Amino acid sequence: DMGSLNELVPVLVIDELDNDLGLAEVEDSLGRTFQLPKEWLPMAAEGAAYEIHVTEAGVRFVFSEGGARLLRERSKQTLLDFSDEI
């Protein structure tokens, strides 16, 4: 099942691009936000999603067609899990 495989791959989504500074404001699958140089992200656009692949050679950001949807689904599930605990 590819869905469960994708859940193991960290994802980040571009929230906002600052073209003047060349930076992308991104959110990762853990809910953390930070800035990256937009040239590190192929096809950089607001809402674009990337799988994060960490290897001994470094970090690769791979454009992911369904990544933004996957991140939203994870966020919803996290909220549901949290609501169940209250």
Side-chain angles (χ1 to χ4, degrees):
D1 166 85
M2 286 301 283
S4 60
L5 178 62
N6 287 339
E7 290 170 17
L8 301 176
V9 176
V11 174
L12 64 82
V13 174
I14 297 178
D15 288 331
E16 189 175 337
L17 284 178
D18 185 331
N19 289 316
D20 293 335
L21 297 176
L23 293 173
E25 178 87 23
V26 299
E27 179 179 348
D28 70 6
S29 45
L30 297 176
R32 300 173 296 192
T33 57
F34 43 97
Q35 293 180 322
L36 294 173
K38 75 176 199 174
E39 63 267 14
W40 291 7
L41 305 167
M43 303 185 333
E46 290 180 9
Y50 302 86
E51 294 178 357
I52 305 164
H53 296 275
V54 180
T55 67
E56 290 181 14
V59 178
R60 276 190 321 132
F61 301 104
V62 180
F63 182 78
S64 174
E65 195 70 44
R69 177 187 50 74
L70 180 63
L71 188 60
R72 283 193 303 274
E73 288 174 6
R74 284 188 198 171
S75 295
K76 285 182 199 171
Q77 188 58 49
T78 300
L79 287 173
L80 289 173
D81 291 346
F82 180 74
S83 297
D84 290 345
E85 292 175 8
I86 295 177

